[in-house]
Amino acid sequence: MKIIHKPNDLRSEIEKLKNTKGLSVGLVPTMGALHDGHLSLIKKCVKENDIAIVSDFVNPTQFGPNEDYAKYPRTLEKDSALCSEAGVDIVFAPAPEDIYDEYYFKHKETTLICPPYDVVNKLCGKSRPGHFDGVCTIVGKLFNITKCNRAYFGKKDAQQLFIIKKMVKDLYFDLEIIGCPIVREEDGLALSSRNTYLTAESRNLALNISQALFKAKELFDKGIKEADTLIDTALSYLEKPGLEAEYVEIVAQENFEKIDTLNKKAVMLIAAKVDSHEAKIRLIDNIEL
Ligand code: PAF
């Protein structure tokens, strides 16, 4: 397995492999701090492609000024060992300066991919203005650098996956986006790199998020189709000291617009903040209905 830092080095390596042997390229974009959720995407990517690339880059443009960019876990050595074990061919681990130019560092502005306002400024985008512009920009850059045939994303970031699929369609990126199921701990907690911030106590509180989703699904399976009833039930799990629901919403899978009655494929999404030490840890999760 190769670890490559410079975009142009990655480009030439891939072009060499692709052109001489006509091989397919799969990409798993990550911000590192790999866990079993990432590994499920990585294993699928390795299985389905001749060349499997994992990008490991904490992308500054998707973090707001008061978010955890500086303290986001950076564990390249451990991540590389996991990738190597999983059969990955290349880990792409650029520095911010390899991806963004001097203009960005001087003016804090760069060329961005900006999906429509209403798509990015709801749900997670409401409390994280600019977040999805940053995500689309880095993902677009990674698609252009790797010219991958397939890219793998987790369904835990459901809004991100929806927006990336839209970007690929709108901008005619020539690749397939593959959404992969959420991976959970045995007790239901969705795997997330931010779980490393949780204490035993706050982890217990965080469990209410998945429990709220499971309960809503149970009621839905019993025939309850009114979004408000399902949302109120979910909210009752989140009304606990130390837990603060940012949103609980139900949207149609086809367009991510709110629905009142679940007469088409839907998804319930939750974002909540959990008190842990002095900090509030923001977690997201969702369930398809
Ligand atoms: O989901 C993530 O980890 C990030 O948003 C992504 C897609 C790697 C872009 O930085």
Side-chain angles (χ1 to χ4, degrees), residues 18-148:
K18 248 187 149 173
N19 291 344
T20 52
K21 301 186 193 144
L23 302 178
S24 65
V25 175
L27 170 71
V28 184
T30 82
M31 297 205 299
L34 301 184
H35 50 63
D36 284 349
H38 296 113
L39 285 175
S40 73
L41 313 187
I42 291 171
K43 283 179 189 153
K44 193 166 164 61
C45 175
V46 167
K47 201 164 145 205
E48 295 179 353
N49 299 278
D50 300 310
I51 306 165
I53 304 172
V54 173
S55 63
D56 192 312
F57 177 63
V58 184
N59 171 41
T61 59
Q62 69 187 78
F63 287 82
N66 300 317
E67 293 185 15
D68 55 347
Y69 174 67
K71 76 168 209 245
Y72 197 86
R74 287 160 173 83
T75 56
L76 180 59
E77 212 173 301
K78 189 168 159 240
D79 296 344
S80 307
L82 289 170
C83 286
S84 167
E85 219 171 281
V88 169
D89 300 285
I90 301 171
V91 169
F92 177 50
E97 296 73 22
D98 296 319
I99 294 293
Y100 296 101
D101 67 2
E102 333 60 85
Y103 190 95
Y104 168 71
F105 292 100
K106 196 162 162 202
H107 301 280
K108 283 284 166 260
E109 248 196 308
T110 187
T111 305
L112 290 170
I113 298 178
C114 303
Y117 184 88
D118 284 343
V119 176
V120 294
N121 282 289
K122 60 185 174 189
L123 300 164
C124 286
K126 210 169 177 179
S127 65
R128 306 189 72 188
H131 169 68
F132 288 115
D133 297 348
V135 169
C136 286
T137 301
I138 183 60
V139 168
K141 282 175 186 258
L142 291 168
F143 290 169
N144 280 334
I145 296 168
T146 60
K147 298 203 180 75
C148 56

